[in-house]
Amino acid sequence: MSTRHVLLGLLASGPGHGYDLKRRHDERFPQARPLAYGQVYTTLQRLVRDGLAAVEGTDSDGGPERTTYRATPDGEAELARWAAEVAPPAPFVANEIFAKVVVAILSGGDPAAYLRAQRAAHMARMRELTAVKTAPGADLASVLSADYALNHLDADLRWMTTTADRLTHLTAEVDTA
């Protein structure tokens, strides 16, 4: 996910200061990795440098001074371009689970045991996400984020089942290569 574009998107809904933008990010993308304050402020500085955002003003309201930012017309155009751009499917299919299965074979480990342990970890995460999406009062953003992650975890589980069924053949191929 592009932090730069997400912050521009948040600014498109109205000006904000770094603390506010971080809070809005964490609310809008509840299952995403929370943004660090340093990342927010560094990204805002780059957006200003690149002419995509501008400082609207500063205020303190009796607390620390806060700089308010707004998207510029160039920033709005950049955001529209990015939002309309189709995200390409991953050109290379490499994942850590597959790499660990192959390494287990190469090192004399137990790839089947690894797959069982990984399956258990995936199932535990799926239970957590199901609790998030079925919690009373769960907001739609949390439900949709959980659904997205659940679908990916489900695909991983199906892949693990297929791989476990093919371990004998995979082991033979890895050992002869």
Side-chain angles (χ1 to χ4, degrees):
M1 182 163 57
S2 168
T3 301
R4 165 187 186 104
H5 292 101
V6 168
L7 288 178
L8 276 174
L10 294 171
L11 287 172
S13 66
H17 51 79
Y19 176 82
D20 178 53
L21 292 168
K22 183 210 175 335
R23 182 187 52 74
R24 287 165 43 194
H25 169 274
D26 294 349
E27 288 172 357
R28 299 279 188 267
F29 305 99
Q31 298 299 317
R33 181 181 321 214
L35 289 179
Y37 286 106
Q39 184 179 15
V40 171
Y41 290 107
T42 300
T43 303
L44 286 169
Q45 289 170 355
R46 289 183 184 137
L47 288 170
V48 169
R49 177 198 67 200
D50 297 343
L52 303 176
V55 172
E56 183 159 282
T58 57
D59 63 40
S60 63
D61 281 338
E65 187 173 277
R66 293 188 176 163
T67 302
T68 302
Y69 299 86
R70 64 172 172 76
T72 64
D74 285 348
E76 292 169 359
E78 168 63 18
L79 179 63
R81 184 203 58 74
W82 175 80
E85 189 176 85
V86 173
F92 303 103
V93 181
N95 78 46
E96 187 174 356
I97 299 168
F98 178 66
K100 288 183 176 185
V101 168
V102 172
V103 167
I105 293 168
L106 290 170
S107 65
D110 186 348
Y114 169 74
L115 286 170
R116 284 190 300 275
Q118 187 64 57
R119 180 178 204 65
H122 269 57
M123 295 298 292
R125 181 65 179 139
M126 289 176 88
R127 285 188 292 277
E128 291 170 5
L129 290 166
T130 299
V132 165
K133 73 179 253 176
T134 59
D139 61 282
L140 186 56
S142 294
V143 170
L144 292 173
S145 293
D147 282 340
Y148 182 85
L150 283 163
N151 280 295
H152 281 265
L153 290 167
D154 182 61
D156 284 351
L157 287 172
R158 285 183 277 123
W159 177 87
M160 284 183 242
T161 298
T162 301
T163 302
D165 292 344
R166 297 176 177 167
L167 269 180
T168 302
H169 297 300
L170 180 61
T171 300
E173 281 187 20
V174 170
D175 285 343
T176 60

